[in-house]
């Protein structure tokens, strides 16, 4: 069995991806005011953030430019106009017009719970990895409802139809801005990428584009560790009475109650102390997911968090929640959408994932295959949820976009 330390692994990854080069810091073009406008305060900020520590940050060369913009979309009722924010990310070479962009990436952000965690604010380590010095692409990501300009509202977490509409509006706005800035993006291949809840959002975007946007065709949709069948996830948590991510189900249930005005009281579904602390722990957005896990109790079983009625999958309360989860799933009971068979699909899920069972990854892949799609899968022990996303999924996506393949030698253990 091979054993390497995380720092050494990142050095190897850096060598494989050839990140270790320098960056320029010239200002980019100005942007004229219009309906889709750049945020003048943040437009020309050059962000540099460490993935591991400053030395690794320098080695991986995590220098990116981000255009932060505002755009018109709709709220959770799918009709009330709202102003949301999105981000366009690129490396300095593309930003400064030294090279032409080679592709576009729709990046669907993973779970966030705290003020300042969206991609326009402080969550750009992963985007910096994707838009590294030698990958001359452009990434587009939506902050979504409940963040930045609408941060006083509950987030529509895992509400796929809403998320897809707001992300599509973000994409359209970004295309207008890039063209106004004279970036040549016509005809570029588009990659649709997401991990964890971002994987659910990525598949929701695939479904949306297939149904409503024949003008858009993803070259590849690459997803990992996603909760594609929310009904199955709920049932798995209850039936196994365990999860490695105790805040996941509360975050979903709170989002669904607030977003869809579901007629139950939090004390009907959650035990104390969570039942009396939804506002300070979750809705306030004062805590990140790891903090919320700690407040709820990381060693707790699902039955210690949910009431007996919520743990009874046949109860009226559970059936009400399951119905909404089913409506927002992208595979499982009742799904009929036909994915684009010209798109290539990459579905990854570690069998050691304690947050989300890999069985829903298999279910997602099987659904795509049943519709005649070209699907590449990887279901093996590649570490728990977070480690798999940071170390394996990101590298795989990068090398797929580069036309290569990344392999960790079998039996290798990455030691923190």
């Amino acid at each position: 069995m091979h054993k390497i330390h995380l720092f050494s692994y990142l050095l190897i990854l850096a060598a494989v991806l050839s990140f270790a080069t320098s960056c320029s810091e010239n200002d980019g073009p100005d942007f004229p005011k219009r309906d889709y406008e750049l945020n003048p305060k943040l437009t020309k900020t050059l962000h540099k953030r460490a993935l591991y520590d400053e030395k690794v940050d320098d080695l991986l060369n995590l220098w990116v430019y981000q255009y932060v913009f505002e755009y018109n979309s709709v709220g959770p009722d799918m009709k009330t106009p709202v102003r949301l924010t999105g981000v366009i990310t690129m490396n300095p070479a593309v930003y400064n017009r030294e090279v032409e962009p080679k592709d576009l990436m729709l990046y669907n952000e993973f779970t966030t719970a705290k003020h300042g965690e969206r991609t326009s604010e402080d969550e750009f380590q992963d985007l910096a990895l994707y838009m590294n010095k030698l990958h001359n692409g452009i990434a587009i990501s939506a902050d979504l409802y409940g963040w930045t300009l609408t941060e006083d509202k509950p987030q529509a977490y895992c509400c796929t139809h809403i998320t897809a509409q707001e992300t599509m509006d973000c994409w359209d706005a970004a295309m207008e801005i890039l063209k106004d800035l004279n970036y040549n993006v016509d005809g570029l291949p588009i990659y649709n990428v997401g991990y964890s809840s971002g994987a659910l959002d990525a598949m929701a975007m695939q479904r949306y584009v297939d149904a409503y946007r024949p003008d858009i065709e993803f070259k590849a949709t690459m997803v990992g560790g996603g909760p594609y069948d929310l009904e199955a996830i709920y049932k798995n948590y209850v039936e196994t009475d365990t999860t490695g991510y105790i805040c996941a189900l509360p975050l979903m249930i709170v989002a669904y109650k607030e977003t869809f005005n579901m007629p139950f009281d939090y004390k009907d579904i959650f035990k104390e102390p969570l039942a009396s602390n939804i506002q300070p722990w979750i809705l306030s957005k004062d805590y990140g997911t790891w903090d919320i896990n700690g407040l709820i109790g990381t060693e707790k079983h699902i039955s210690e968090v949910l009431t007996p009625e919520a743990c009874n999958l046949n109860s009226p309360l559970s059936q009400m929640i399951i119905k909404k989860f089913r409506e927002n799933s992208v595979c499982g009971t009742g799904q009929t959408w036909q994915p684009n068979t010209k798109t290539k699909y990459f579905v990854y899920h570690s069998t050691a994932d304690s947050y989300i069972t890999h069985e829903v990854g298999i279910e997602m892949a099987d659904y795509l295959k049943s519709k005649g799609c070209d699907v590449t899968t990887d279901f093996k022990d590649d570490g728990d949820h977070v480690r798999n996303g940071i170390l394996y999924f990101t590298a795989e996506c990068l090398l797929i976009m580069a036309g290569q393949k990344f392999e960790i030698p079998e039996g290798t253990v990455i030691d923190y």
Side-chain angles (χ1 to χ4, degrees), residues 14-143:
V16 171
L17 299 176
S18 301
F19 285 172
T21 52
S22 61
C23 297
S24 58
E25 300 185 25
N26 298 329
D27 283 340
D30 291 326
F31 177 74
K33 293 291 184 181
R34 53 168 290 130
D35 289 340
Y36 304 124
E37 66 180 274
L38 297 179
N39 186 312
K41 183 178 179 181
L42 299 175
T43 293
K44 293 184 179 179
T45 301
L46 180 63
H47 299 301
K48 182 181 182 183
R49 291 294 184 270
L51 177 72
Y52 185 66
D53 62 22
E54 289 186 3
K55 291 182 180 178
V56 174
D57 186 38
D58 287 337
L59 180 62
L60 298 184
N61 201 3
L62 302 182
W63 286 89
V64 295
Y65 277 101
Q66 291 189 305
Y67 290 107
V68 178
F69 61 93
E70 300 176 14
Y71 67 96
N72 298 321
S73 191
V74 292
D77 62 1
M78 300 291 281
K79 60 184 180 181
T80 302
V82 295
R83 193 76 161 172
L84 302 178
T85 56
V87 180
I88 300 169
T89 305
M90 61 189 77
N91 71 22
V94 175
Y95 181 83
N96 290 315
R97 318 306 175 83
E98 297 165 7
V99 298
E100 291 288 325
K102 68 178 290 287
D103 55 45
L104 297 168
M105 181 177 77
L106 175 61
Y107 177 75
N108 300 274
E109 180 65 272
F110 48 75
T111 301
T112 55
K114 186 178 181 180
H115 296 291
E117 285 188 335
R118 295 306 290 182
T119 49
S120 70
E121 299 167 310
D122 194 36
E123 285 289 332
F124 28 67
Q125 293 97 327
D126 44 343
L127 276 176
L129 271 175
Y130 282 115
M131 297 297 108
N132 66 81
K133 176 68 173 181
L134 294 185
H135 185 82
N136 298 318
I138 295 175
I140 295 161
S141 184
D143 286 325

Side-chain angles (χ1 to χ4, degrees), residues 228-373:
Y228 316 103
D229 185 341
L230 298 171
E231 175 187 2
I233 293 295
Y234 181 27
K235 290 180 177 179
N236 176 263
Y237 283 166
V238 170
E239 290 169 352
T240 63
D241 196 21
T242 185
T243 173
Y245 199 50
I246 198 68
C247 72
L249 194 53
L251 284 174
M252 285 194 290
I253 291 172
V254 170
Y256 274 55
K257 173 173 170 53
E258 300 293 331
T259 299
F260 300 115
N261 298 311
M262 297 185 72
F264 59 80
D265 189 273
Y266 284 124
K267 291 186 178 181
D268 295 334
I269 197 163
F270 296 125
K271 290 183 176 180
E272 297 293 355
L274 178 59
S276 297
N277 285 284
I278 299 300
Q279 177 61 44
W281 291 2
I282 295 177
L283 292 175
S284 71
K285 297 178 184 156
D286 288 338
Y287 298 101
T289 55
W290 298 111
D291 302 315
I292 298 171
N293 284 337
L295 291 166
I296 296 173
T298 55
E299 301 302 319
K300 285 191 174 181
H301 294 285
I302 291 295
S303 60
E304 296 176 274
V305 178
L306 299 186
T307 62
E309 187 180 6
C311 287
N312 177 2
L313 297 175
N314 294 315
S315 72
L317 176 62
S318 290
Q319 285 297 306
M320 181 196 313
I321 294 168
I322 285 171
K323 181 176 183 293
K324 271 298 177 186
F325 280 173
R326 185 182 301 125
E327 290 172 1
N328 284 271
S329 296
V330 291
C331 64
T333 305
Q335 289 297 322
T336 59
W337 64 286
Q338 173 59 56
N340 189 335
T341 56
K342 294 181 181 179
T343 296
K344 293 185 178 296
Y345 300 88
F346 297 83
V347 182
Y348 300 148
H349 209 130
S350 174
T351 57
D353 192 332
S354 68
Y355 291 21
I356 301 169
T357 174
H358 74 283
E359 292 176 0
V360 294
I362 295 174
E363 182 186 345
M364 185 75 253
D366 287 346
Y367 181 85
L368 294 168
K369 291 175 183 177
S370 73
K371 299 296 183 178
C373 299

Side-chain angles (χ1 to χ4, degrees), residues 163-185:
T163 296
Q165 181 62 63
E166 293 172 351
T167 302
M168 192 74 260
D169 292 339
C170 176
W171 178 269
D172 288 340
M175 291 300 101
E176 292 288 336
I177 290 169
L178 288 168
K179 290 175 182 177
D180 284 349
L181 291 170
N182 296 316
Y183 286 101
N184 184 16
V185 296

Side-chain angles (χ1 to χ4, degrees), residues 386-416:
V386 174
R387 184 172 67 175
N388 177 255
I390 293 173
L391 299 181
Y392 186 77
F393 180 74
T394 300
E396 278 281 2
C397 291
L398 271 167
L399 287 162
I400 288 169
M401 289 189 287
Q404 303 176 50
K405 179 68 176 174
F406 179 65
E407 295 285 357
I408 299 176
E410 186 172 353
T412 298
V413 175
I414 299 172
D415 183 15
Y416 284 95

